[in-house]
Amino acid sequence: MKKLVYIMLFLPLLCLGQMETNGTIKAELVTKFELNYLLQKPNNNKDLKPLIIFLHGSGEKGTDLEKLKIHGPLKYAKTHELDAYILAPQCPENKYWESEELYLLIQKVLAENKIDKSRIYLTGLSMGAWGSWNLAFAHPELFAALVPIAGFVDRVPMVENCKISTIPIRIFHGLQDDIVDANYSIAIFNKLRGCNKDIKLQLFDDANHDSWTRVYDNPAIYEWMLMQKK
């Protein structure tokens, strides 16, 4: 018994003798990525024209660019003329939208085309709405309007809500949505309306997850976007 007591008293003294060292690591992280995209140009692109950026949902991931015409502005442009560039990137199958990848793509498109940088509009549906929220918060200086539809909202937009207080925003969501709860859109709207004077939320009583078809098929949303200017 005496030996056991002696060992227990000695252990704390050993802990006090632990060594501490300082260190530094220097490294460079290089991330490679590839994004395919469609860019539709206006008939007259000799003058500066606005840019509409569309982020699709999870169902359009992959390598088939024709999927980008199923919903959204490129679908609308099949039967209606839009005097604007439409940029639609395609998210790879095993990924989600990455804000910095999208930012680099946008910079590439701006450098190669005659685009009015005061009239860049961002919109997306479902996963694309989530990506639109994140991209707008990562680079709020870029956008003259934001239109997220049926989207999940991450923690950063909820916490840093007033970071995009100067961007006109139109949010849409279906109250019957059983994929992405409409409360996400309601919550971010309530956060933003205290500091953003040009924000509206429209909830569709009868819509499930697809609340975007009625929005993108209606010329009103494009007319509103194209009137916005930074």
Side-chain angles (χ1 to χ4, degrees):
M1 178 62 69
K2 289 182 179 180
K3 184 176 181 181
L4 178 60
V5 171
Y6 174 78
I7 293 174
M8 292 177 65
L9 291 173
F10 184 66
L11 284 175
L13 297 177
L14 290 176
C15 294
L16 292 174
Q18 289 180 340
M19 295 183 64
E20 182 179 279
T21 60
N22 294 328
T24 301
I25 180 173
K26 292 184 179 181
E28 181 178 345
L29 294 177
V30 178
T31 302
K32 295 182 179 180
F33 74 94
E34 182 176 313
L35 275 180
N36 296 321
Y37 64 91
L38 288 179
L39 178 66
Q40 181 172 294
K41 301 182 179 183
N43 289 329
N44 174 17
N45 52 41
K46 294 181 180 179
D47 302 321
L48 292 176
K49 293 296 173 69
L51 170 65
I52 299 172
I53 301 163
F54 169 65
L55 303 184
H56 64 73
S58 59
E60 290 72 59
K61 288 183 179 182
T63 57
D64 181 3
L65 291 174
E66 288 300 308
K67 288 182 177 181
L68 303 178
K69 302 175 185 178
I70 296 174
H71 305 294
L74 287 177
K75 175 193 173 187
Y76 181 84
K78 292 178 183 178
T79 53
H80 301 78
E81 183 176 343
L82 285 172
D83 193 25
Y85 291 86
I86 303 173
L87 172 61
Q90 187 169 41
C91 187
E93 193 67 53
N94 59 342
K95 292 184 64 176
Y96 295 93
W97 293 119
E98 293 282 351
S99 294
E100 296 313 305
E101 295 177 3
L102 292 167
Y103 177 75
L104 290 175
L105 171 60
I106 294 167
Q107 294 306 309
K108 176 182 186 295
V109 171
L110 292 178
E112 296 174 351
N113 299 276
K114 300 187 75 171
I115 291 170
D116 184 347
K117 294 181 181 179
S118 69
R119 300 176 69 199
I120 301 175
Y121 314 115
L122 177 60
T123 184
L125 64 89
S126 190
M127 183 188 79
W130 167 81
S132 295
W133 281 118
N134 290 340
L135 180 56
F137 274 87
H139 296 281
E141 74 286 351
L142 273 182
F143 305 110
L146 174 63
V147 182
I149 307 174
F152 172 81
V153 184
D154 272 342
R155 180 177 176 275
V156 169
M158 287 294 186
V159 174
E160 299 182 357
N161 49 85
C162 288
K163 190 175 181 180
I164 59 169
S165 62
T166 61
I167 303 177
I169 302 171
R170 297 295 181 267
I171 308 169
F172 300 89
H173 216 125
L175 282 175
Q176 305 302 318
D177 195 329
D178 57 4
I179 304 297
V180 179
D181 198 308
N183 283 317
Y184 286 111
S185 289
I186 295 169
I188 191 64
F189 170 72
N190 288 332
K191 286 275 190 178
L192 281 164
R193 63 178 176 172
C195 55
N196 189 313
K197 304 305 179 186
D198 193 359
I199 181 171
K200 291 184 180 179
L201 166 65
Q202 184 167 356
L203 299 170
F204 301 111
D205 292 342
D206 59 340
N208 199 299
H209 192 44
D210 180 3
S211 52
W212 53 79
T213 296
R214 66 184 75 188
V215 178
Y216 286 131
D217 285 359
N218 189 337
I221 195 61
Y222 305 102
E223 292 169 2
W224 176 80
M225 276 194 287
L226 293 172
M227 288 191 297
Q228 308 310 310
K229 190 171 183 177
K230 286 194 299 179

